[in-house]
Amino acid sequence: MHGKAPRASLKRQDVADTVQVWDLPLRLWHWMLAVLVLIAWVTPNVHDGLHRIAGYAILGLLAFRLIWGIIGTRHSRFRSLRARLRATPAYLWNLRRGRTGRYLGLNPAGTAMQLALLLLLIVSAVTGAMQVTVRFFGIWWVEDSHEVTSYLLIPLVVLHVAGVVLVSRLQHENLACAMLTGRKLLRRTMQRGQQSSARVDS
């Protein structure tokens, strides 16, 4: 008979170093925005007051994110935005083959998704606020812009969640949990005793 292996030995090949990546303001922003977008989506024409409050709160969060993208911590800034966007097509092509590379911050696909979501949210929130003003009330292009961008947000959010799940499985790392704790894997020792040589991009 074989006795139970010590708990430490069970983890001997699965020890990983972690590093702080996402700061607390960014994590709070991310989850608050997710909740507010959900509220804004389910409340129009039903709870208009709550819908309006959520919209104004989203505007505030977007303003914060634009500022934090300039003065925030390393992985919160937009400084590598252009380079990551240029790398997005190659990243998506490699993703089809299960090759993700290793990124501490957002990977190129995540960067492209972040930009798309921010742009849609800005248009949706701004036109939503415009709709309740005297000057722009009833203006067709304001109403249409708000409606179209609001509907486009949902498939993008679903795609975002699916991408997080896919990359989490490929990298054996819970990326949603990383957005809660702020920490991501820096180095992982594989069970077969081979240390991964994946590239770490800052």
Side-chain angles (χ1 to χ4, degrees), residues 61-106:
L61 287 178
L62 291 172
F64 165 80
R65 184 65 184 97
L66 294 178
I67 296 171
W68 201 243
I70 299 172
I71 68 172
T73 54
R74 180 180 183 182
H75 296 291
S76 299
R77 296 176 188 170
F78 299 136
R79 62 185 180 85
S80 60
L81 182 64
R82 189 174 301 176
R84 293 285 172 91
L85 289 177
R86 286 198 300 265
T88 300
Y91 179 87
L92 292 175
W93 179 259
N94 290 329
L95 188 62
R96 295 172 63 250
R97 305 175 183 179
R99 295 163 52 192
T100 63
R102 189 74 179 94
Y103 295 84
L104 282 182
L106 287 175

Side-chain angles (χ1 to χ4, degrees), residues 99-121:
R99 295 163 52 192
T100 63
R102 189 74 179 94
Y103 295 84
L104 282 182
L106 287 175
N107 61 49
T111 301
M113 178 60 71
Q114 173 189 244
L115 180 60
L117 287 171
L118 284 177
L119 290 176
L120 284 177
L121 280 168

Side-chain angles (χ1 to χ4, degrees), residues 3 7 9 25 35 43 62 76 92 97 99 105 118 123 128 148 156 158-161 170 180 195 201-202:
R7 180 172 297 182
S9 68
V35 171
T43 53
L62 291 172
S76 299
L92 292 175
R97 305 175 183 179
R99 295 163 52 192
L118 284 177
V123 175
V148 170
L156 278 188
V158 172
L159 186 59
H160 168 58
V161 173
L170 291 175
L180 286 170
Q195 185 171 354
D201 291 347
S202 59

